Amino acid sequence: MTEFLFQSFLGTPVWFWLAFVLMVAALTAFDLGLLHKEDRVMGIGESLKLSAFYISIALAFGAWVWAEKGADLGMKYFTGFFIEKALSIDNIFVISLIFTFFAIPAKYQYRALLWGIIGVIVLRGLMIAAGAALVSEAYWVLYLFAAFLIVTGIKMFFTTESEPDLANNAAIRWISRRMRVTKELHGDRFFVTQPDERTGRMVRAATPLLLALVVINLADLVFAVDSVPAIFAITTDTFVVYTSNIMAVLGLRALYFALSAMIDRFHYLKHALAAVLVFIGSKIFVSDFLLDDDKFPPVASLAVTFGLIATGIGWSLWKTRDTATTR
């Protein structure tokens, strides 16, 4: 058993992976089983406290990575975490629109978000595994990731924000044609059994809460197209890539209820994120073709990333201060 725990899996001992999985499982069980046994509305104060708790856990885990895997990978973990945390704020805007479209009351949103996060953990794991396999087989794939990040960042900087057209969403239409979907919610249930309108037989039907959950996970896949290459552009260590990604997403449901009420105050964060993507993508080319030691200092990468994100948040809050005081 001891020999198995110390075997290498994707470049990291098995016990590292097991420790991380157990920690995520314990946090999820604690959240769903103890903190939120009943459906209720989460206040902004509770949301901020719970979010601070998750961020503290993520930072403590990063310190453990630093101690066990070295300062280089430790700094890369924190860089990836800060990028993912900032990118997740964009997710909050879309998630808020999805809940509004399906008329999901606030007291049912937290539980739906929790199951959404569980889906994200699995889906991003698959995407990261695929990305790691590609990079290990062909290093030049990193250059594609880097070029994609630069183009995405430039596009993000100049593209105006627009609301997604959920009414014509292909996934919603596909599910609605192939499954029975109730017209109304049934509490926090994703499926219910009810009489068929034509035959009177009891049939199983999905609820709008399930549709919202599916669309949320599909939206996260779209966001992951940007975030996963960004992490690989920082490091190819699969353990650091996956853990920094998941630790950033894990506290998203707690942060949602505080930020969804003030998401309009983070308008300029998009420009900071655009600059981060361009910087991370450019760093690959600079490291491989311009630096003699073939290495961009991780501490510089962390400092630039944190500085850009902090500036974007600070500038956004400053520019919208009049909006906050007049509410």
Side-chain angles (χ1 to χ4, degrees):
M1 184 65 178
T2 303
E3 183 179 349
F4 168 75
L5 292 176
F6 283 91
Q7 284 183 351
S8 178
F9 177 69
L10 296 176
T12 299
V14 170
W15 76 270
F16 272 62
W17 291 99
L18 290 177
F20 178 72
V21 170
L22 289 174
M23 180 182 67
V24 171
L27 287 171
T28 304
F30 173 74
D31 200 337
L32 183 61
L34 295 178
L35 292 182
H36 297 89
K37 288 183 178 180
E38 300 178 356
D39 296 314
R40 59 185 177 82
V41 178
M42 178 182 288
I44 292 178
E46 182 183 2
S47 174
L48 290 174
K49 290 178 183 177
L50 191 57
S51 181
F53 167 75
Y54 276 108
I55 291 174
S56 299
I57 294 294
L59 295 179
F61 183 82
W64 180 66
V65 172
W66 188 306
E68 294 292 335
K69 295 177 77 71
D72 181 81
L73 287 177
M75 282 186 283
K76 289 177 178 177
Y77 166 88
F78 285 117
T79 303
F81 172 76
F82 289 130
I83 290 175
E84 289 299 321
K85 202 67 179 175
L87 286 171
S88 68
I89 294 179
D90 271 354
N91 295 36
I92 289 175
F93 173 71
V94 174
I95 291 171
S96 178
L97 290 176
I98 292 171
F99 280 142
T100 301
F101 177 81
F102 288 103
I104 308 298
K107 67 177 181 178
Y108 300 136
Q109 291 177 6
Y110 193 91
R111 190 163 294 221
L113 279 173
L114 177 59
W115 289 107
I117 295 299
I118 292 173
V120 167
I121 291 173
V122 175
L123 292 173
R124 292 210 179 186
L126 294 174
M127 291 186 69
I128 290 171
L134 285 172
V135 172
S136 64
E137 292 295 326
Y139 182 82
W140 56 265
V141 171
L142 274 182
Y143 298 134
L144 294 181
F145 285 169
F148 175 77
L149 292 174
I150 294 171
V151 172
T152 301
I154 294 173
K155 182 180 178 182
M156 183 187 296
F157 193 87
F158 292 103
T159 302
T160 57
E161 295 181 354
S162 60
E163 295 186 3
D165 186 7
L166 295 176
N168 295 312
N169 183 275
I172 296 175
R173 294 202 309 269
W174 189 87
I175 295 174
S176 299
R177 285 197 300 265
R178 288 164 176 78
M179 294 181 64
R180 296 180 178 87
V181 181
T182 64
K183 296 179 180 179
E184 66 285 332
L185 284 170
H186 290 264
D188 62 356
R189 299 172 66 184
F190 296 113
F191 292 95
V192 294
T193 301
Q194 63 180 21
D196 184 87
E197 294 180 355
R198 291 176 297 177
T199 65
R201 293 185 300 108
M202 299 300 291
V203 295
R204 190 172 178 80
T207 69
L209 192 62
L210 178 69
L211 292 184
L213 178 62
V214 170
V215 177
I216 286 172
N217 277 278
L218 291 175
D220 181 78
L221 281 178
V222 174
F223 281 104
V225 172
D226 293 336
S227 62
V228 171
I231 295 295
F232 274 107
I234 296 168
T235 177
T236 56
D237 185 290
T238 309
F239 182 79
V240 173
V241 169
Y242 184 67
T243 55
S244 62
N245 202 291
I246 297 306
M247 290 306 290
V249 173
L250 196 61
L252 177 61
R253 60 189 183 272
L255 190 61
Y256 167 80
F257 292 93
L259 293 189
S260 61
M262 51 185 294
I263 195 66
D264 56 314
R265 297 199 63 198
F266 290 89
H267 174 73
Y268 295 97
L269 178 61
K270 184 187 74 147
H271 300 91
L273 291 176
V276 168
L277 294 182
V278 172
F279 166 71
I280 294 297
S282 301
K283 184 169 66 71
I284 291 291
F285 295 109
V286 171
S287 296
D288 285 6
F289 298 114
L290 297 180
L291 296 183
D292 294 334
D293 60 359
D294 195 33
K295 185 177 181 182
F296 194 95
V299 64
S301 180
L302 175 60
V304 172
T305 299
F306 184 81
L308 287 171
I309 293 172
T311 300
I313 293 175
W315 183 249
S316 295
L317 294 176
W318 172 259
K319 292 291 287 185
T320 58
R321 64 191 184 283
D322 293 336
T323 304
T325 57
T326 55
R327 286 183 177 179

